[in-house]
Amino acid sequence: MTSLEDLPIRDDLRGRSPYGAPQKSVPVALNVNENTHPIPEDVAHDIVARVAAAILRLNRYPDREFTELREALAGYLGHGLTPEHIWAANGSNEVLQHLLQAFGGPGRSALGFEPTYSMYGLLASGTGTRWVTAPRDDDFELGPEAAVAAVLEHDPDLVLMCAPNNPTGTPLDLDTIRAVADVARGIVIVDEAYFEFAEPGTPSALTLLEGRPRLVVSRTMSKAFAFAGARVGYLAGDPATIDALRLVRLPYHLSALTQAAALGALAHADEMLAMVDEIRGQRVRLSAELARLGFAPYRSGSNFVLFGGVDDPHAVFEALLARGILIRDLGIRGHLRVTAGTEAETTAFLEAIAVFAPERAAGAAENRIDA
C-alpha cells in the first residue's frame, strides 16, 4: 500500500498536516464559526431562480471578470470603492492564496501574529513562502509597538493581520493596522472575515486604503451572510494589486453558479445581515455567562468566544460531544472556543458547560475539605 511518504512530494511539505476541523453530525455544531441561522426563505427562492437561469447558460464559460459581482461587492462595501478595486474567489482562503501566489513564493516570507488563523501558515507553505510568526501582547491583543517591531525585525514580503483575530476573537485597532501599513515594504493583508460582527460603529480597515496601494482588505460571505457552503470571498485593494492577482488565478475561476448565487445574496444584503444583531447578542451572552461560571472569556468582536480556565480542554470537548454539542479544541492550553449560535444552541452549550465550571469545581473541593 503506497503511503504519502512514498510519493515524490516537495520536501517542504513532508511531515505537514492538512487543515481540518472535526466534521461530525451533531444537534449543536458550534466549532467552525458558521452562521447557524438559515437563509431567509424569500432570499433562498430568489437565489434559486438566479442559479436556475444560470444553468440554462452552462454551455458557455462564465464572465471571467465577474463584472456584475464586482459591481455589487463595491456597492456593498461603499467607501468610494469601484469594481476596479474589487477581487473575488472561491472563499476568502482562495483570495489569500492568490495574494501569496502573486507576492510570496520561494525566497519570500509572510509574517503573522500567533495564535492566528491556521490557514495562513498552510497557504504560505503551499506557495513556497516562508512563514514567520511573532507573539501577541497579553490577552492575545496586538498593539502598534509590538506589531511594528515584528515587521522591522523580519522585513516580510507579506503581513497577514486578522481583524478581529481568529481564533481569539480579539479586535484589532486601526492604529495598529495603520502603523504596520506605514512601515511595511510588502503587501499588508487585513483579513476582516468577521468584521460584520464587530460592535456597531467600529471602523473598517477599508478607511485606510486610500493612499496605501500595498494595503488590501479581505472579506467573506461565509459568516455574516450565512453563505459558507457557497464559497465566496473577496477583497478590496488598489487596482494595480487586482491586476497582479489576474496573473495567478485560474481561467474562469468563479463559476456562473457561484456568481449567480452571490448576486442573489447581495441583492438582499439588509435581510441577510438582519441576523447579525441576534448573533452579536448571543456572543455577549456567552461572554457574560462564561465569566459568571468562573471561566475567562476574551474580548471578542467576532461570532465566537475563546475562553480560558478549562482544566482539561480535551476531556471537556469529548464530554460535550457526547451530549451532541461540538465546539473547538484549538490546542491552546486551558482554552476552548465556541461559536455564538441561535438562542437555543447557546442555551444548550451553557447548560452543558456549567458542569465543568471552575466555580463549581472549587465548591466541590471545599466540600471535600469540609467533610
Side-chain angles (χ1 to χ4, degrees):
M1 191 77 169
T2 301
S3 71
L4 180 62
E5 292 303 313
D6 296 323
L7 298 176
I9 62 171
R10 288 170 14 205
D11 290 341
D12 61 322
L13 294 181
R14 291 191 181 280
R16 293 184 176 271
S17 299
Y19 174 85
Q23 286 190 306
K24 299 179 182 294
S25 179
V26 294
V28 181
L30 301 173
N31 67 321
V32 288
N33 306 333
E34 295 161 318
N35 185 331
T36 63
H37 295 65
I39 293 175
E41 187 173 351
D42 63 316
V43 180
H45 285 309
D46 187 21
I47 292 172
V48 168
R50 292 169 183 260
V51 170
I55 288 174
L56 297 175
R57 301 188 298 273
L58 286 185
N59 59 310
R60 301 292 186 182
Y61 285 116
D63 175 9
R64 185 176 58 242
E65 294 302 313
F66 43 97
T67 308
E68 190 177 357
L69 178 56
R70 289 164 63 206
E71 290 173 351
L73 288 168
Y76 168 69
L77 291 177
H79 296 283
L81 296 169
T82 68
E84 289 71 31
H85 295 95
I86 304 298
W87 188 250
N90 296 286
S92 59
N93 286 331
E94 188 176 63
V95 169
L96 298 174
Q97 182 181 57
H98 286 166
L99 287 164
L100 282 158
Q101 286 175 317
F103 299 104
R108 297 192 173 196
S109 65
L111 169 69
F113 300 89
E114 290 195 331
T116 193
Y117 184 34
S118 60
M119 274 302 302
Y120 295 160
L122 291 172
L123 289 168
S125 68
T127 57
T129 308
R130 184 168 58 92
W131 175 239
V132 295
T133 60
R136 292 178 168 268
D137 298 324
D138 292 341
D139 296 328
F140 304 119
E141 302 283 342
L142 182 62
E145 185 175 344
V148 167
V151 171
L152 294 177
E153 176 185 356
H154 297 288
D155 189 29
D157 296 279
L158 301 101
V159 182
L160 290 101
M161 309 176 75
C162 204
N165 187 50
N166 179 16
T168 65
T170 318
L172 184 65
D173 293 340
L174 285 191
D175 288 345
T176 300
I177 299 171
R178 184 185 296 109
V180 168
D182 289 347
V183 301
R185 66 170 177 80
I187 298 295
V188 176
I189 305 166
V190 181
D191 182 356
E192 289 190 341
Y194 298 92
F195 179 78
E196 285 92 345
F197 299 105
E199 290 300 321
T202 300
S204 165
L206 293 169
T207 61
L208 302 178
L209 286 177
E210 187 172 358
R212 294 182 173 89
R214 298 189 179 188
L215 176 66
V216 298
V217 180
S218 172
R219 292 275 189 99
T220 182
M221 295 184 71
S222 293
K223 309 302 181 181
F225 274 86
F227 231 48
R231 312 308 303 131
V232 183
Y234 56 101
L235 68 73
D238 190 87
T241 300
I242 307 305
D243 284 340
L245 302 184
R246 288 189 175 91
L247 300 176
V248 297
R249 61 98 176 263
L250 294 174
Y252 311 105
H253 70 287
L254 274 178
S255 77
L257 304 183
T258 299
Q259 294 182 44
L263 284 166
L266 289 165
H268 299 270
D270 290 344
E271 188 173 356
M272 292 286 279
L273 296 177
M275 64 191 86
V276 167
D277 284 341
E278 181 181 344
I279 295 169
R280 193 185 292 119
Q282 294 305 314
R283 179 194 72 205
V284 172
R285 179 188 173 203
L286 279 171
S287 295
E289 288 298 307
L290 286 168
R292 184 185 65 80
L293 290 169
F295 293 104
Y298 291 86
R299 191 167 74 105
S300 177
S302 60
N303 70 334
F304 58 85
V305 175
L306 178 75
F307 59 99
V310 186
D311 286 339
D312 188 340
H314 182 69
V316 174
F317 169 87
E318 291 292 344
L320 293 178
L321 182 58
R323 294 187 58 170
I325 300 169
L326 180 62
I327 63 172
R328 192 71 177 268
D329 181 359
L330 299 156
I332 301 176
R333 184 176 180 181
H335 292 74
L336 289 168
R337 190 190 71 191
V338 59
T339 304
T342 63
E343 181 178 3
E345 289 170 331
T346 301
T347 297
F349 163 74
L350 288 171
E351 290 176 349
I353 197 70
V355 175
F356 306 95
E359 286 190 355
R360 176 173 292 192
E366 289 179 4
N367 291 335
R368 286 195 298 271
I369 292 173
D370 292 341

